Amino acid sequence: MLNTAIKAARRGAAVINRASFDLDRVKVTEKKHNDFVTEVDQAAEQAIIEVLKTAYPDHAILAEESGASANLHDDNDNVWIIDPLDGTTNFIHGFPQYCVSIALQQRGQITQAVVYDPTRNDLFTATKGSGAYLNEKRIRVTKRDKISDALIGTGFPFRETDNIDEYMKMFKIMTQSCAGLRRPGSAALDLAYVAAGRLDGFFEKNLQPWDMAAGSLLITESGGIMGTFEGESDYLYKGDVLAGTPKVFAQMVALLSPFAKK
């Protein structure tokens, strides 16, 4: 199943790479204010789904652009959760920070994960119980235990309906508490970076399952912790998420739990 997911991610990335050579020709549609989708997102998603459905025709699909497949219901044990191009705004500006994210959820648990960065040819993979890898080399979260020494990733609100004032309060608290705050623009890749030790922690509000499903398994299989702003495990469909090394995670919960969804 992991090999199939890797094949699908590379197939989707091939669509993205071809389009990246001539961005002026890419058709961009605004789904909501500052929330973009391109024909590349849609074509990459179809390429990914084709690979997965060919191998596993009975499996259900939950994808960012096409939504839920007709067979997505409570008694389907296998659901592929797909973000064909996480970081679309970066992509259409030629900013090389975006990825393909694919996860398999089985009976409510994420068991396979692939995050592929086509600009760097970085392939992050994980299978539940078998560790996390970057280009087939085992990865672990960092050993940093103080948030004051930590480099933290985040995502800023970008839709007009988001509460920017609340975020600015979080931004101030975290900026004063950590060694540095980064906003690269792709949540799935940010989570992979925590797993690989490139970041020590990550937080963001209002994410979708496809933004974090694959990254969540990379985090836990690399020794990190992922949860809600209150430290609970039901983050996947709540949307507000923290991730980090065990001690950094605990300190982030202490700082950000007042901003948890009520």
Side-chain angles (χ1 to χ4, degrees):
M1 287 180 172
L2 182 64
N3 287 335
T4 299
I6 292 170
K7 179 182 177 183
R10 290 192 183 279
R11 189 75 59 84
V15 174
I16 295 166
N17 282 337
R18 283 195 299 271
S20 71
F21 291 119
D22 194 359
L23 288 172
D24 289 340
R25 297 183 63 184
V26 174
K27 294 179 181 177
V28 180
T29 305
E30 195 171 36
K31 292 190 283 189
K32 297 179 182 177
H33 177 67
N34 283 344
D35 189 4
F36 301 102
V37 62
T38 72
E39 58 188 346
V40 180
D41 295 69
Q42 295 161 339
E45 184 172 290
Q46 288 309 305
I48 291 165
I49 291 173
E50 184 178 331
V51 172
L52 297 176
K53 295 296 282 184
T54 298
Y56 304 108
D58 296 332
H59 287 194
I61 301 288
L62 177 62
E64 178 173 16
E65 306 309 334
S66 58
S69 59
N71 63 336
L72 179 61
H73 40 68
D74 291 342
D75 58 356
N76 195 315
D77 290 338
N78 300 284
V79 182
W80 291 98
I81 305 175
I82 303 163
D83 192 334
L85 178 51
D86 189 51
T88 299
T89 301
N90 285 348
F91 171 75
I92 61 179
H93 286 85
F95 187 81
Q97 188 78 5
Y98 47 83
C99 68
V100 177
S101 177
I102 302 173
L104 176 62
Q105 185 179 45
Q106 295 183 291
R107 298 181 181 179
Q109 291 198 332
I110 305 298
T111 59
Q112 307 289 347
V114 174
V115 172
Y116 181 56
D117 174 357
T119 69
R120 297 172 183 83
N121 198 26
D122 276 349
L123 179 68
F124 301 86
T125 59
T127 296
K128 188 172 178 59
S130 299
Y133 295 82
L134 168 55
N135 298 329
E136 300 184 358
K137 182 180 178 181
R138 186 74 181 264
I139 53 176
R140 302 284 298 179
V141 296
T142 67
K143 296 180 179 179
R144 289 191 181 88
D145 56 6
K146 295 179 181 177
I147 197 167
S148 58
D149 297 329
L151 185 64
I152 305 294
T154 187
F156 299 160
F158 59 93
R159 300 184 188 95
E160 59 187 351
T161 55
D162 287 336
N163 190 339
I164 189 68
D165 293 332
E166 179 188 54
Y167 185 82
M168 293 310 295
K169 292 176 184 176
M170 292 191 292
F171 182 87
K172 181 178 180 180
I173 289 169
M174 293 301 294
T175 299
Q176 292 173 333
S177 302
C178 70
L181 203 56
R182 300 290 182 266
R183 197 276 192 183
S186 168
L189 205 48
D190 291 346
L191 291 169
Y193 276 21
V194 175
R198 296 175 179 178
L199 292 169
D200 303 298
F202 172 80
F203 70 98
E204 188 166 355
K205 294 180 75 76
N206 301 317
L207 290 177
Q208 298 294 330
W210 46 78
D211 296 317
M212 54 180 161
S216 69
L217 187 61
L218 291 171
I219 294 287
T220 55
E221 288 295 322
S222 61
I225 300 179
M226 190 145 162
T228 66
F229 276 40
E230 294 176 312
E232 302 298 328
S233 61
D234 56 341
Y235 52 84
L236 193 61
Y237 292 95
K238 276 198 171 180
D240 293 356
V241 65
L242 303 179
T245 71
K247 291 188 177 179
V248 168
F249 176 85
Q251 292 164 70
M252 291 173 69
V253 170
L255 291 167
L256 296 176
S257 57
F259 299 95
K261 286 181 177 177
K262 303 303 180 186

